[in-house]
Amino acid sequence: MGCDTSLFVGNVLKSVNRSLSSSSARSTFGQQSGVTSFMNTKRKFRPSLTSIAVGALEEEGQAAEEPAEPDEQGWGAKETVEVFTATSKGKSVGTLEIRVQERPFSEGAMRVASYAKCEAACRHQAILMGLTTRATPTFVVKEAKKKGAKHNSKEALLADLDSLKAAQALAAKWNDEVPGARIEFLNGFALHFPNRACEDSSWLAAEPKLPDEEFVKFNNNAGYVEVSDDAELPNCFSHWTWQQTNAEIMVLDMQGVVRSDGTYCCTDPQVQHSDTSRYGHGNLGQKGMADFFAAHRCGDMCRALNLRPPDEAIVVSTPTVVATLIPELAQVVPDDQQKPVNFGNGPIERPSWVPDHDVYRCQIKASAKCQARGGQKFSLVHRRHHCRACGNVTCDACSPGRMPLPYSETPGELQRVCLACSSRFTGVHLEKT
């Protein structure tokens, strides 16, 4: 290069662009809000390289600007990709020739996102696949930040597509049952780059580009729940999916934009399922659901849909039996408070138990020492118990009493009952000492 400093600096910049493009977004992303700004995050290079190179270019009278949207510069080489969809059952639906922009425009906790575009000869095919539209010829590809087959393989991406498919099915049912509160999820794709030498970059996720509206993160699978008017609907949807599927599934990672017509256009959801072997490594199972409920507060929409928080007790009627006197609770009660237990008249049936995976905190909350009052969730240390009289799930402090019940398999056997039931049956409020 001789003494041509401008050529030398130009080559330095190109080298920096190529070597740091996959990580340049990370320096500022962690300092910004995860709610509204991470789709518009500005990129910064390391100051030691930037100050030298950009300063030299400014001396040459050149501008050093960074494009925020795809332009005709900065696109990578043409590459052939095989396309897989959520419904293609692991088989390719066709091939495309695309170019990926070298510099990512955003990154999340797990992936780095870049723009991509199809070559002219296959743009119509991409439109038929649903990857692009005539109005929006660019789309988005996402590369995992972590290495290894767990994050970068056909199996990993197809599991994510299964998660998307389940979320789309629940959204379709929601749209039918809750008019005027439409939620849509963008179609997802898995792209295989067979000619790439690095296996960790040979499988990328892809999706259409979101409308140009403000991007918002409404919740995630790690306990974050956005509190705003716009967030009430998608957070209610997450709660609804849990109750609609009998606590088996919850759709989290609700994120996207609100269109002018009020439709929530969302992307990249993550299903939480009681079976953590399904729906990808973002499925944290009951932990993900519990973390959501620990932060979620039901609003008017949840109440209008009669959604029940997992720690809200189910109201049951007092069990009845042919009139008879049943011995008092096993726990010692002062003499002046003792009274016979009368269940009333009529038949009695064993109550249905609230499933364990339905509840993460005590439902009764009648004791001053209740674990739920202190914000604690059930765990190996803080065990859950069932009241044999009402079937609700309770902590130890809220179920200190024992009493025989008419449907006990062994006559006279003492059964655990919660404070609410013992108070209903005897009029005595017991507190664990």
Side-chain angles (χ1 to χ4, degrees):
M1 291 182 283
C3 297
D4 189 348
T5 59
S6 63
L7 179 59
F8 170 76
V9 171
N11 286 332
V12 168
L13 280 179
K14 290 180 181 178
S15 176
V16 171
N17 277 338
R18 294 193 183 101
S19 63
L20 299 181
S21 60
S22 63
S23 61
S24 60
R26 301 174 193 174
S27 62
T28 59
F29 175 74
Q31 304 172 4
Q32 300 193 31
S33 166
V35 179
T36 59
S37 60
F38 75 92
M39 290 297 284
N40 300 308
T41 304
K42 295 292 184 181
R43 305 300 182 276
K44 294 181 180 178
F45 288 7
R46 301 177 196 177
S48 58
L49 294 173
T50 305
S51 57
I52 296 173
V54 174
L57 284 178
E58 288 176 345
E59 290 180 1
E60 296 292 328
Q62 299 182 36
E65 297 182 354
E66 179 179 12
E69 292 289 330
D71 57 17
E72 292 305 314
Q73 300 177 356
W75 293 99
K78 181 172 65 176
E79 298 182 271
T80 299
V81 297
E82 299 169 340
V83 183
F84 300 79
T85 70
T87 58
S88 64
K89 300 180 179 180
K91 298 180 180 180
S92 172
V93 296
T95 59
L96 298 172
E97 290 186 338
I98 69 170
R99 295 179 186 269
V100 179
Q101 200 169 40
E102 293 180 342
R103 299 179 66 181
F105 69 88
S106 178
E107 71 171 287
M110 300 172 64
R111 293 171 175 170
V112 175
S114 303
Y115 288 114
K117 65 178 182 180
C118 291
E119 292 293 284
C122 56
R123 287 178 184 172
H124 180 67
Q125 186 179 0
I127 294 173
L128 295 178
M129 290 179 179
L131 184 58
T132 62
T133 64
R134 295 188 185 279
T136 310
T138 56
F139 59 98
V140 176
V141 295
K142 298 180 179 181
E143 182 175 357
K145 295 164 69 174
K146 295 183 178 181
K147 305 303 180 185
K150 180 179 179 181
H151 306 278
N152 305 274
S153 64
K154 179 179 182 180
E155 180 182 1
L157 291 187
L158 291 185
D160 289 339
L161 290 180
D162 283 341
S163 176
L164 171 63
K165 185 178 178 181
Q168 288 176 326
L170 285 166
K173 189 169 185 179
W174 162 276
N175 293 335
D176 289 339
E177 297 185 4
V178 188
R182 189 169 184 81
I183 292 176
E184 295 178 354
F185 290 103
L186 294 178
N187 289 325
F189 302 83
L191 303 184
H192 180 218
F193 294 74
N195 298 322
R196 287 191 175 183
C198 178
E199 292 184 356
D200 283 331
S201 62
S202 63
W203 284 94
L204 272 62
E207 64 186 22
K209 186 175 177 293
L210 280 167
D212 293 326
E213 304 287 349
E214 182 182 31
F215 185 94
V216 182
K217 182 86 167 180
F218 301 111
N219 63 48
N220 66 15
N221 61 348
Y224 171 77
V225 176
E226 162 70 359
V227 180
S228 66
D229 291 341
D230 284 344
E232 181 178 2
L233 190 151
N235 289 331
C236 176
F237 172 75
S238 293
H239 189 168
W240 177 88
T241 59
W242 175 82
Q243 187 159 314
Q244 185 71 25
T245 60
N246 295 319
E248 184 178 19
I249 285 178
M250 177 183 285
V251 179
L252 292 179
D253 268 5
M254 296 294 294
Q255 55 194 336
V257 303
V258 184
R259 290 175 178 158
S260 57
D261 63 357
T263 298
Y264 283 73
C265 183
C266 298
T267 175
D268 211 7
Q270 178 60 62
V271 164
Q272 306 299 294
H273 192 280
S274 53
D275 180 359
T276 55
S277 66
R278 303 177 61 184
Y279 299 121
H281 57 273
N283 173 20
L284 304 182
Q286 293 184 16
K287 181 183 184 302
M289 302 181 199
D291 288 343
F292 169 81
F293 278 122
H296 173 61
R297 296 296 178 267
C298 289
D300 292 340
M301 180 168 284
C302 285
R303 288 186 283 271
L305 295 176
N306 296 317
L307 300 184
R308 178 179 64 83
D311 56 349
E312 181 180 288
I314 299 174
V315 179
V316 296
S317 59
T318 302
T320 57
V321 72
V322 175
T324 182
L325 296 183
I326 305 296
E328 181 56 274
L329 298 175
Q331 181 164 328
V332 177
V333 179
D335 291 339
D336 60 347
Q337 294 186 23
Q338 287 196 16
K339 59 181 68 175
V341 180
N342 192 337
F343 285 99
N345 297 318
I348 186 171
E349 295 181 356
R350 186 187 304 272
S352 297
W353 283 15
V354 174
D356 282 349
H357 60 254
D358 237 13
V359 176
Y360 304 103
R361 292 176 289 189
C362 177
Q363 296 179 280
I364 305 304
K365 295 191 283 293
S367 170
K369 298 179 181 179
C370 176
Q371 297 167 4
R373 290 180 178 233
Q376 294 174 330
K377 296 176 287 188
F378 290 127
S379 65
L380 291 177
V381 176
H382 304 290
R383 303 294 299 276
R384 71 187 76 199
H385 306 279
H386 280 87
C387 172
R388 270 58 172 178
C390 66
N392 282 309
V393 180
T394 171
C395 67
D396 186 57
C398 288
S399 56
R402 304 292 186 274
M403 65 185 298
L405 296 171
Y407 44 78
S408 299
E409 294 181 1
T410 303
E413 180 183 9
L414 299 180
Q415 302 283 318
R416 179 188 291 270
V417 292
C418 68
L419 288 174
C421 287
S422 64
S423 178
R424 284 190 293 129
F425 296 150
T426 69
V428 177
H429 181 80
L430 301 174
E431 187 70 42
K432 186 173 183 179
T433 58

